[in-house]
Amino acid sequence: GQMSVNRLEMKQVTKIPSFMGEIDVLKTIQLLPGVKGGAEGNSGFYVRGGGPDQNLVLLDEATVYNAGHLFGFFSVFNGDAVKDINLIKGGMPAQYGGRLSSVLDITMKEGNNQDFQVTGGIGIIASRFTVQGPIKKDTASFIVSGRRTYIDVLAKPLISDSSAFKGSGYYFYDLNTKFNWRINDKNRVFISGYFGRDVFTFNDNQSEFKVSIPWGNATTSLRWNHLVSPKMFVNTTSVFTDYNFSFGAEQDGFEFKLFSGIRDFNEKVDFTYLPNSKHYIRFGANYTFHTFTPNNVSAKSGETVFDLGGLKKELAHEAAIYFNDDWDVTNRIKIYAGLRYSYFIQVGPFDRYVQDVIGRTTDTISYGKYKKVADYGGLEPRLSMRFLLDENSSIKTSFTHNLQYVHLATLSPISLPTDIWVPSSDKVKPQIGEQYAAGYFRNFHNNMFETSVEVYYKNMRNQVEFAPSALPSDNVNNNTDNNFIFGNGQSYGAEFFFKKAKGKLNGWLGYTLSWTTRSFAEIDSGSFFYARYDRRHDISAVLVYDLNEHWSFGSIFVYGTGNAITLPDARYLI
């Protein structure tokens, strides 16, 4: 197979110890070399020195923009509904694009097409319930899986009626559903959906201060798989994805609300063509219409509503075409070659607020409906090679060039839901990344043991950060990207992996040695500094022992260098 790719089976994931018994896909991939957890208890993840927004997270082909519940302690992926997990850390095939660092491709279970099944579980934090079965045997099946936390329900009796914090609480819930129908030998249809919400409320009854923070994702995918001929099939997919976040506060009749989000409509068509045993060809096109809602604010006092400029949205179109060929050149040499061309355009209606050096708005440029604000495009070549030394060992190399047109502007080192997704614009250029990687892979004892060492170097341009003095603005007569600064980054390192794949005792040991730097002209005059994604050493050991079919024991050991941080010495106001 290709290098820098990890496939995880849900069967294996369920045996690994998890926080409060909640099986977590994102926590499990953080145990692989080259993948680091964002912060303690956080489901945001960094791959080979890239930020959380540089990971393309897909659930049945729908982009998931915020993959965390409970401020990142849990991921939005319910283990009961997940079938396959595929992580690509480098050398990603050309059908994937729009992100610099990695692809996490998650497929939902399709439902049992033979028997009706009901399963459930009561956990310390959440309860789960799954129903699946045939609608018509061998032809159509469905699965519905839901879970909800009950911290709020358990805490209620413990908070007395006289408590100042009566009415505060937190819960999340999510629902996964999938339906598939085999129309005939040539046609299959899949419909899948995900809906999840987090709701955090805080009440201080003494000062009559209330805060409400709801956020969540919704996705829907409709896919038609059609067999054109024995050598060719085509997938046509329509995807809708919506992520939104809101923060509301209320005191003494004054109400304030901040909200942001992103919504996508995505159409794609993917062809797979097998002309002979030596070639596996994929080609296709996709188009996405993005609606960004960077920070918007509304406020009212009693019946008085303040005019803060109305709801501001930013619209953009993104499109790509690609071609990919996995070619067996000889018995020993295999080449994975791909080329992608992508294009991005931000369109009106849009108001650009022009600011002077001290941040006062001096002019406004207004773009009408459908008018071009800015556009970008480019070729994205991908090339990987595998050379078999003998039947047990191989050398693999890869090169990828990626463009990223959407950016996550973040103010804190953990991925909070307050982070804002923004498009490339007349001020924000697309991120550009190149990654070079090489590795040696060897299996022992009839593939019982798998070992590998990979080295990589990654170069990243047009990285986005908030300016050091910036605070999350309310965007009244301002654009979010007026607060940005831009710089470059690089990351390099080595990953060592040892896995025992068979037998009663199995698991893996991973070690990563890596360096990650960034340089911004406005910070340290452009000399480089170690970024928050920098981790010198990262070790994880996973052991699972299957005693019998009823009992299995698992253990995890993790060691990591701490996060790089520079604390301010002082603050002064003039």
Side-chain angles (χ1 to χ4, degrees):
Q2 253 174 300
M3 70 179 301
S4 309
V5 175
N6 292 97
R7 278 191 177 80
L8 288 174
E9 289 179 13
M10 237 15 242
K11 202 166 66 212
Q12 190 181 21
V13 174
T14 53
K15 292 176 182 176
I16 295 170
S18 52
F19 180 64
M20 297 284 189
E22 285 299 306
I23 293 153
D24 204 322
V25 168
L26 291 192
K27 288 286 188 301
T28 307
I29 65 161
Q30 289 170 23
L31 299 168
L32 296 166
V35 187
K36 322 252 189 303
E40 204 54 58
N42 196 305
S43 66
F45 62 102
Y46 312 146
V47 177
R48 290 182 173 174
D53 65 326
Q54 294 178 357
N55 305 314
L56 179 63
V57 181
L58 298 171
L59 179 65
D60 270 357
E61 301 185 56
T63 305
V64 177
Y65 281 101
N66 185 330
H69 281 310
L70 186 56
F71 302 102
F73 263 94
F74 298 110
S75 77
V76 299
F77 306 111
N78 177 353
D80 293 354
V82 173
K83 176 179 144 192
D84 285 322
I85 305 147
N86 202 15
L87 175 73
I88 306 168
K89 298 180 292 190
M92 61 176 80
Q95 69 261 35
Y96 298 111
R99 299 293 187 277
L100 296 194
S101 283
S102 77
V103 180
L104 179 63
D105 199 346
I106 295 173
T107 314
M108 277 198 240
K109 285 178 182 164
E110 286 163 16
N112 190 325
N113 65 9
Q114 296 299 314
D115 299 303
F116 194 75
Q117 265 182 316
V118 179
T119 51
I122 296 174
I124 299 168
I125 279 191
S127 281
R128 305 182 300 281
F129 188 72
T130 304
V131 182
Q132 59 178 319
I135 295 166
K136 187 181 174 193
K137 268 199 177 177
D138 298 318
T139 307
S141 62
F142 77 97
I143 181 168
V144 177
S145 187
R147 63 176 175 169
R148 187 196 192 278
T149 59
Y150 34 70
I151 308 165
D152 55 326
V153 181
L154 294 176
K156 231 173 216 167
L158 305 175
I159 301 173
S160 70
D161 289 348
S162 57
S163 165
F165 305 112
K166 180 100 183 139
S168 299
Y170 169 83
Y171 64 92
F172 75 72
Y173 62 88
D174 47 34
L175 183 71
N176 293 74
T177 168
K178 189 162 179 177
F179 161 80
N180 79 91
W181 178 29
R182 189 192 171 103
I183 301 166
N184 52 39
D185 287 348
K186 290 192 172 177
N187 295 285
R188 284 188 77 177
V189 172
F190 302 85
I191 301 169
S192 60
Y194 167 82
F195 183 79
R197 300 297 284 169
D198 282 66
V199 182
F200 172 74
T201 45
F202 174 77
N203 267 353
D204 183 347
N205 298 316
Q206 286 173 348
S207 61
E208 293 187 354
F209 176 62
K210 287 182 185 171
V211 172
S212 167
I213 312 179
W215 75 92
N217 297 276
T219 71
T220 312
S221 313
L222 170 63
R223 180 160 66 96
W224 169 39
N225 176 287
H226 173 62
L227 199 68
V228 182
S229 73
K231 291 188 172 184
M232 184 188 251
F233 65 88
V234 56
N235 276 315
T236 310
T237 317
S238 297
V239 177
F240 166 77
T241 181
D242 184 53
Y243 165 66
N244 57 56
F245 162 79
S246 111
F247 173 96
E250 196 184 319
Q251 189 168 23
D252 296 334
F254 177 75
E255 287 177 42
F256 167 85
K257 197 173 181 188
L258 190 73
F259 48 97
S260 65
I262 180 169
R263 176 177 288 183
D264 288 351
F265 290 95
N266 175 231
E267 289 291 329
K268 53 192 209 175
V269 57
D270 301 287
F271 292 87
T272 302
Y273 176 50
L274 308 157
N276 52 48
S277 61
K278 288 193 180 301
H279 291 272
Y280 183 86
I281 294 169
R282 283 168 295 191
F283 58 94
N286 71 53
Y287 160 77
T288 305
F289 176 59
H290 296 286
T291 306
F292 297 85
T293 313
N295 269 351
N296 274 266
V297 70
S298 65
K300 67 178 193 176
S301 184
E303 296 305 304
T304 312
V305 177
F306 299 100
D307 179 17
L308 298 171
L311 183 64
K312 290 188 188 66
K313 293 192 170 177
E314 295 179 18
L315 309 176
H317 304 274
E318 185 174 353
I321 53 171
Y322 73 89
F323 177 86
N324 219 70
D325 183 12
D326 300 352
W327 176 28
D328 284 306
V329 186
T330 68
N331 288 344
R332 291 196 162 201
I333 299 169
K334 184 165 187 164
I335 292 176
Y336 306 85
L339 187 63
R340 181 183 178 89
Y341 175 78
S342 58
Y343 176 74
F344 184 91
I345 179 168
Q346 188 196 351
V347 294
F350 176 68
D351 291 328
R352 163 59 67 203
Y353 296 100
V354 181
Q355 296 188 329
D356 63 14
V357 286
I358 57 168
R360 285 181 308 199
T361 298
T362 55
D363 193 13
T364 307
I365 303 165
S366 288
Y367 296 88
K369 214 172 184 180
Y370 311 125
K371 288 279 182 288
K372 179 178 98 172
V373 179
D375 68 337
Y376 301 95
L379 287 170
E380 303 179 44
R382 320 279 170 85
L383 183 67
S384 304
M385 283 180 74
R386 187 205 67 198
F387 182 73
L388 288 179
L389 299 170
D390 56 46
E391 58 183 31
N392 291 319
S393 61
S394 61
I395 290 171
K396 299 175 189 178
T397 60
S398 73
F399 165 75
T400 40
H401 177 88
N402 292 48
L403 293 168
Q404 177 165 337
Y405 301 105
V406 300
H407 321 272
L408 185 68
T410 173
L411 270 161
S412 75
I414 57 171
S415 48
L416 286 168
T418 46
D419 298 346
I420 306 156
W421 286 93
V422 292
S424 294
S425 65
D426 51 332
K427 287 199 79 159
V428 184
K429 291 189 172 71
Q431 297 180 50
I432 302 169
E434 278 115 15
Q435 179 170 276
Y436 306 84
Y440 173 71
F441 300 76
R442 188 175 178 90
N443 290 4
F444 298 94
H445 288 294
N446 290 337
N447 302 330
M448 182 185 276
F449 300 103
E450 298 168 18
T451 61
S452 66
V453 55
E454 285 189 46
V455 291
Y456 66 89
Y457 171 80
K458 192 155 134 190
N459 178 26
M460 296 165 274
R461 298 194 290 286
N462 305 333
Q463 300 298 284
V464 179
E465 290 280 355
F466 270 108
S469 56
L471 290 168
S473 78
D474 50 20
N475 273 4
V476 179
N477 291 342
N478 197 5
N479 305 110
T480 303
D481 56 17
N482 281 334
N483 295 313
F484 294 166
I485 56 172
F486 307 98
N488 297 318
Q490 58 173 352
S491 178
Y492 48 93
E495 299 167 2
F496 301 86
F497 191 55
F498 174 84
K499 181 179 178 182
K500 184 172 185 288
K502 298 174 182 176
K504 280 195 162 190
L505 182 71
N506 55 74
W508 70 80
L509 177 67
Y511 168 61
T512 310
L513 174 67
S514 63
W515 289 262
T516 300
T517 59
R518 295 282 191 276
S519 64
F520 287 81
E522 286 90 340
I523 305 173
D524 293 349
S525 316
S527 60
F528 76 84
F529 58 92
Y530 289 106
R532 64 167 168 257
Y533 314 124
D534 180 64
R535 285 285 168 83
R536 195 68 61 253
H537 305 285
D538 193 62
I539 299 170
S540 20
V542 176
L543 270 181
V544 173
Y545 180 69
D546 292 316
L547 186 65
N548 52 42
E549 60 186 55
H550 301 293
W551 287 89
S552 79
F553 298 88
S555 76
I556 296 176
F557 169 80
V558 178
Y559 169 82
T561 304
N563 282 357
I565 184 169
T566 308
L567 295 168
D569 295 327
R571 175 176 179 158
Y572 59 91
L573 297 169
I574 299 174

